[in-house]
Amino acid sequence: RWWFNRASGSPRARAVHIAMEVAFLAPVATNVAGPMTTPVHLSGPTSSPAGNTLGLSLAAAGGLAAVGLAARRARVARKAQEMATLPKHMQPVDPASYPNYKPGPSGVPMMPQVVGDWATPVPGSYKACLTMVGPDVETGSEVGKPWDPLGFSKLYDRNFDFNDNMTYPHVQWLREAELKHGRCAMLAIVGIFAQQSFHIDGYPEAPWYEALQKCYDNPQGIVGFGIAQISAFAMVIEGKYFPNDAWIGQMDREPGDLGFDPLKLAKDEATMKSMQLKELKNGRLAMMAFLSMFLGHFNAGSVPGVSALPRESAPAQGATFCGATPASSSEAGMSKTAARYTTQTILPSLAWIKTGVKASELQPTELKALTLAGNDVLIGKTEAGALFCVGNLCPHIGTPMSEGADVIGDVIVCPLHGSSFKVTTGQLIDWCVSPPIIGPLTGLIVDKKNLLIFECRQGGFLGSGEVEVLVDTNAKKAYEAGYWKGLLDAQGKDDGTYY
């Protein structure tokens, strides 16, 4: 219109403007490319040259406008076809079909409804749980009755008892999450054990709980390539198989089904269900195993039977008539800390403790004394090369067995009074036999006892790691409890609390 106002005095300009208005207001001809059969008459006689020129101009402008409209309609139709081929979650939402808010029981608008890429939610989470593999196998409960004491499988159905806002997930989403966590845990457990025996050149040498951080701290060379490879793989899997409609139980695949079966293990429906159950049970076991490894390290002694790293501890205050057991190298230079004592009953807390010594480093009949979590232990090998671990203090008067004890076969002999014990069972063989007269006399004042035995094993993959000993991490505290109980009782403070 700016151009038209500037050229309003020109007849040609006025004619083009009128032609454009007529072309945009008139219906589009069915045959755009064909000739105009009906001339357009605006004013003036048809026989004049000016009228012929104006008619040709109007016809040309109308044809161009019709071609432009046809091309635009073709683009709109093509775009609509492309939109229809997009995934459901990428298609536009019609606000009219999904109201933003739904009135509650009192007529007041409440939480927003599910809009966008989700389908229409319907109840049925618990019924779907009854049809799944493995919800009833871990506890030996009735077949077909899921073990769900907290009712997670029923939470989704509770959404419809309130305001239809999908706050709680469908059991389909929960199964997807369980399988994903189980698979990650299985990989983690394999990694924890494998890194103890295998090492790839270029990667940092670190224990499992520090390895990832060291890789991020120095992501050069093969380390950076490995991180990028794992990240890219995770992005592709998460992007392609994102369980979008699983939250409302309408996913277009089975939970955990990524279509990956290169070995064709699932040959039929029965085999498929069997493999699904195996994966589910192994994944659950791996999650518990990884949790045990995590807690066993960061809270040593909290998980009986799970290996932990060597920990700082004060040496045991046992009877030391002829000396004391030297502290292990892990405890050398340990700073003093404040101690808290109790008169409560101290219960045992067993844990596998690494000794820092490999079995291959010990020769037959060789002995090595250590203090592990307050326990004086003596690890060694018999003449046949069998590994054993016994208490380092002789049960007679607390003589350290490491100060000159002899190993004869599978028998260990105390260096002071010649008491001998089986290293496999701790059974007493001879009691205070030397020196003559004096030895037997000293044996009369102490009751005969067996030697303390500790269970030991070779850690790592296929026994290639450090020797580990199963000890009571509360032994020192329990030993001292009697002393503190008497002391506090004499002061009238034995109330069972810390002092």
Side-chain angles (χ1 to χ4, degrees):
R1 289 191 176 276
W2 171 83
W3 174 83
F4 176 71
N5 291 333
R6 291 288 302 272
S8 58
S10 172
R12 178 172 295 180
R14 288 196 300 270
V16 171
H17 178 71
I18 294 173
M20 291 176 65
E21 290 185 349
V22 170
F24 276 96
L25 293 176
V28 180
T30 56
N31 186 9
V32 177
M36 299 295 291
T37 58
T38 305
V40 180
H41 301 281
L42 294 179
S43 61
T46 59
S47 59
S48 64
N52 293 336
T53 302
L54 179 60
L56 292 175
S57 299
L58 292 176
L64 292 174
V67 171
L69 287 175
R72 182 176 181 276
R73 290 182 178 180
R75 287 195 302 270
V76 171
R78 187 166 56 252
K79 186 175 181 180
Q81 292 178 355
E82 294 176 354
M83 189 67 67
T85 60
L86 292 176
K88 189 175 181 180
H89 66 278
M90 298 178 62
Q91 297 180 11
V93 179
D94 183 9
S97 61
Y98 290 94
N100 292 331
Y101 290 87
K102 178 183 178 182
S106 60
V108 179
M110 301 183 71
M111 298 295 293
Q113 280 187 307
V114 176
V115 297
D117 52 354
W118 279 351
T120 304
V122 293
S125 176
Y126 185 71
K127 292 183 179 179
C129 181
L130 298 178
T131 63
M132 288 184 172
V133 175
D136 54 353
V137 297
E138 303 298 348
T139 58
S141 58
E142 181 181 349
V143 178
K145 182 180 180 181
W147 185 79
D148 187 14
L150 299 181
F152 286 123
S153 61
K154 301 177 182 179
L155 286 177
Y156 174 79
D157 297 332
R158 296 290 292 168
N159 293 324
F160 300 91
D161 296 337
F162 296 101
N163 53 16
D164 289 347
N165 186 45
M166 300 298 107
T167 303
Y168 303 113
H170 193 277
V171 71
Q172 199 176 63
W173 176 282
L174 299 178
R175 173 53 62 86
E176 178 85 5
E178 181 183 24
L179 287 171
K180 183 179 295 185
H181 284 80
R183 290 166 179 172
C184 291
M186 286 188 283
L187 290 173
I189 287 296
V190 172
I192 288 175
F193 287 104
Q195 63 89 30
Q196 298 182 16
S197 302
F198 303 99
H199 180 259
I200 301 177
D201 293 337
Y203 281 91
E205 294 187 12
W208 64 269
Y209 51 88
E210 295 178 355
L212 182 60
Q213 185 60 46
K214 288 187 177 296
C215 289
Y216 283 128
D217 292 341
N218 188 25
Q220 279 81 29
I222 190 175
V223 177
F225 177 75
I227 294 176
Q229 185 181 32
I230 295 174
S231 301
F233 177 77
M235 286 189 291
V236 170
I237 296 299
E238 290 292 331
K240 181 175 178 58
Y241 298 102
F242 180 71
N244 187 65
D245 285 332
W247 190 271
I248 58 173
Q250 300 186 31
M251 189 166 54
D252 56 356
R253 58 178 175 82
E254 288 290 327
D257 182 11
L258 306 182
F260 181 78
D261 187 15
L263 300 180
K264 305 299 181 184
L265 299 177
K267 300 178 181 179
D268 49 39
E269 184 176 357
T271 308
M272 169 66 78
K273 289 187 178 296
S274 175
M275 299 302 296
Q276 287 176 337
L277 183 59
K278 291 179 181 178
E279 181 187 29
L280 192 64
K281 291 174 69 67
N282 282 277
R284 291 168 177 172
L285 180 62
M287 287 188 282
M288 297 300 297
F290 180 78
L291 181 62
S292 299
M293 296 293 293
F294 181 86
L295 294 178
H297 168 67
F298 290 102
N299 188 14
S302 61
V303 184
V306 174
S307 177
L309 295 180
R311 304 187 302 280
E312 295 182 349
S313 60
Q317 302 297 323
T320 55
F321 183 80
C322 296
T325 301
S328 63
S329 58
S330 63
E331 297 174 338
M334 182 183 65
S335 60
K336 294 182 178 180
T337 57
R340 301 181 68 196
Y341 302 101
T342 180
T343 59
Q344 295 176 341
T345 301
I346 307 299
L347 299 177
S349 178
L350 300 179
W352 287 99
I353 306 297
K354 291 184 179 180
T355 62
V357 179
K358 293 186 176 180
S360 58
E361 300 173 356
L362 295 174
Q363 301 300 322
T365 72
E366 184 180 356
L367 300 172
K368 187 173 184 60
L370 298 168
T371 299
L372 304 176
N375 297 270
D376 288 328
V377 302
L378 186 67
I379 59 175
K381 285 186 176 180
T382 65
E383 288 186 338
L387 185 68
F388 68 86
C389 182
V390 298
N392 189 32
L393 303 181
C394 178
H396 180 208
I397 52 177
T399 305
M401 305 284 279
S402 58
E403 301 296 329
D406 294 323
V407 177
I408 305 173
D410 59 351
V411 176
I412 187 170
V413 181
C414 175
L416 186 59
H417 297 122
S419 299
S420 56
F421 309 87
K422 293 277 288 186
V423 297
T424 54
T425 62
Q427 179 183 358
L428 173 64
I429 299 177
D430 288 316
W431 183 254
C432 300
V433 295
S434 65
I437 302 176
I438 296 177
L441 287 178
T442 59
L444 294 177
I445 62 176
V446 180
D447 293 335
K448 296 181 180 180
K449 301 176 184 177
N450 291 331
L451 183 63
L452 185 61
I453 297 296
F454 292 91
E455 186 178 351
C456 63
R457 69 183 183 187
Q458 299 182 54
F461 185 74
L462 299 179
S464 60
E466 301 176 8
V467 176
E468 300 176 353
V469 181
L470 184 64
V471 300
D472 179 11
T473 58
N474 285 340
K476 180 176 180 293
K477 188 182 296 184
Y479 176 82
E480 295 176 340
Y483 166 77
W484 288 106
K485 180 176 178 63
L487 182 63
L488 298 178
D489 182 65
Q491 300 179 10
K493 299 178 180 180
D494 182 15
D495 57 358
T497 59
Y498 283 97
Y499 174 71

